[in-house]
Amino acid sequence: MNQSFDIAVVGGGIAGASLAAEVAAHARVLLLEAEDQPGYHSTGRSAAFWSETYGGPGVQPLTTASGPILTDPPEELGGESFLKPRGELFIGREGDTAALDAFIAEFADTGVALERVDPHMMLPGLRPDWVQAVYEPTCMDIDVGRLHGAYLGLARRRGVTIVTGAGLEEARREGGGWTLRTRAGDFAAGILVDAGGAWADAVAAAAGVPPIGIAPLRRTMVQLRTDPPMASDLPLVRDGADLFYFKPEAGGRVWLSPHDEVPDEPRDVAPEELDVAIAIDRFEGAVDWRVEAVERRWAGLRSFAPDRLPVYGFDPAGDGFFWFAGQGGFGIQTAPAAAALAASLLTGAAWPDWLRGVDLARYAPDRFR
């Protein structure tokens, strides 16, 4: 006889782990992870920053609402802040004025702090042609591993059954619930939650639910050793055209990305040498630091719905099928808000007061049906 649960969550990254922990206060929960350890893919390859502007105005309410929880988490999540001050500097050349003005205008009514600054006062070694900048002082570093671990720990303490090596092969709707066939055995659940990240459409297909068109896009990261080393107190730096970003890491290292979005397949992706070379070329066009070595390189998949907003809610075309996907590269920084709002939808629990500024309708899956 199959083990039976109220809710089965497919995907053990930050999305699935946070949601499983939230709903376990109200339901019997199964968390299925295809890999041997949760967080192997996108969660474990994050650039590890929290930025209220990242993802655009449609994502900002989720990020802003999550900030206080990440800054002052409850004791059940460890009670110690997951965020550390960093700051974010958007740099531009002479011809980027319109783009930076438009960026500021996008967030004019959100309460996000943005200010015009002289970039050369904030970034030593910046090349002369970068003459303007916008500064976002609220940007923070985020301890991704500890946050993910805290949610997994809370899930276990609340009785969530976590099964690894359990890739979903088939889900059938039978008798008002789901029968789930996985590589680790068979299970039953009343509700099936798709937190599959880059595999979200594949999970839906396995359940006979029409896909939404959630597309995996490859993002490249490299760790550099430079001369001079990058000072630990410098901000995260992004160019106004979104062609690169870089930030300080331990030991004076630099984490750098060409901000690429290359269509790919759900898989264990690796960086392409061309993308690494493009990243370094763009970096050297911004600062006069010498690149001494590329010490690490990796890639991850960021998955987006067609409108680049996350998808939260029951699918009108699939009875008992709940989407929790399409979270791009912002799933970690929005995890507390996303998990809380989805838990309310799944369990009927009261809508938290701290989510009053979030418009759930903009994330509902019926916008694609």
Side-chain angles (χ1 to χ4, degrees):
M1 183 176 179
N2 300 339
Q3 288 182 266
S4 184
F5 300 85
D6 298 318
I7 298 171
V9 179
V10 178
I14 191 65
S18 58
L19 181 55
E22 286 287 338
V23 297
H26 309 278
R28 292 171 298 131
V29 180
L30 169 68
L31 181 61
L32 297 172
E33 167 56 47
E35 303 295 345
D36 293 333
Q37 64 184 51
Y40 175 76
H41 291 287
S42 296
T43 299
R45 308 178 193 197
S46 166
F49 61 82
W50 180 92
S51 166
E52 290 183 278
T53 59
Y54 198 67
V59 174
Q60 173 269 322
L62 296 167
T63 305
T64 299
S66 296
I69 305 297
L70 295 170
T71 301
D72 187 18
E75 286 300 322
E76 60 193 5
L77 287 176
E80 180 183 346
S81 179
F82 296 103
L83 302 179
K84 291 183 179 180
R86 170 61 57 199
E88 185 171 10
L89 188 68
F90 299 84
I91 60 174
R93 294 183 171 96
E94 191 68 46
D96 294 326
T97 300
L100 292 177
D101 285 345
F103 171 70
I104 293 173
E106 273 192 310
F107 295 94
D109 299 321
T110 64
V112 176
L114 295 171
E115 55 186 291
R116 285 278 190 175
V117 296
D118 178 353
H120 295 275
M121 298 296 292
M122 302 190 71
L123 186 61
L126 185 66
R127 295 192 181 277
D129 53 328
W130 298 91
V131 294
Q132 55 184 325
V134 174
Y135 184 57
E136 181 181 340
T138 57
C139 180
M140 307 271 192
D141 289 341
I142 184 167
D143 191 334
V144 176
R146 189 162 59 84
L147 178 63
H148 186 225
Y151 274 122
L152 288 172
L154 179 58
R156 291 188 179 98
R157 292 192 300 275
R158 287 181 168 175
V160 174
T161 298
I162 301 175
V163 184
T164 57
L168 182 67
E169 295 177 339
E170 183 184 21
R172 298 190 310 276
R173 188 72 177 169
E174 297 176 344
W178 292 93
T179 298
L180 310 174
R181 182 164 57 85
T182 81
R183 294 199 306 270
D186 295 345
F187 305 90
I191 295 172
L192 179 60
V193 175
D194 183 354
W199 284 261
D201 271 4
V203 170
V209 174
I212 280 176
I214 294 179
L217 304 176
R218 190 175 71 245
R219 169 64 51 86
T220 303
M221 294 292 297
V222 297
Q223 177 175 298
L224 305 177
R225 187 176 75 246
T226 64
D227 180 22
M230 189 170 187
S232 62
D233 60 348
L234 290 179
L236 165 70
V237 179
R238 288 170 56 187
D239 82 305
D242 272 338
L243 294 176
F244 64 85
Y245 62 80
F246 59 90
K247 59 173 284 195
E249 262 305 308
R253 270 46 177 184
V254 178
W255 276 14
L256 165 70
S257 173
H259 211 270
D260 48 340
E261 291 189 344
V262 182
D264 212 312
E265 299 296 324
R267 63 187 180 100
D268 186 4
V269 291
E272 301 284 344
E273 286 301 322
L274 177 59
D275 295 324
V276 172
I278 289 172
I280 293 172
D281 180 67
R282 291 173 180 173
F283 176 76
E284 292 179 332
V287 292
D288 61 11
W289 311 341
R290 186 171 63 88
V291 175
E292 293 187 329
V294 176
E295 296 184 328
R296 292 175 56 207
R297 63 196 79 197
W298 66 99
L301 292 174
R302 304 158 76 251
S303 48
F304 288 96
D307 61 1
R308 297 182 71 89
L309 292 179
V311 188
Y312 306 138
F314 285 101
D315 192 311
D319 188 25
F321 186 91
F322 189 96
W323 289 92
F324 195 59
Q327 300 186 70
F330 44 79
I332 296 164
Q333 67 177 34
T334 60
L341 71 83
S344 293
L345 292 174
L346 281 165
T347 67
W351 188 257
D353 286 344
W354 56 278
L355 289 178
R356 282 176 298 181
V358 175
D359 177 11
L360 180 59
R362 73 196 311 175
Y363 311 125
D366 58 8
R367 70 191 194 267
F368 298 112
R369 300 306 188 200

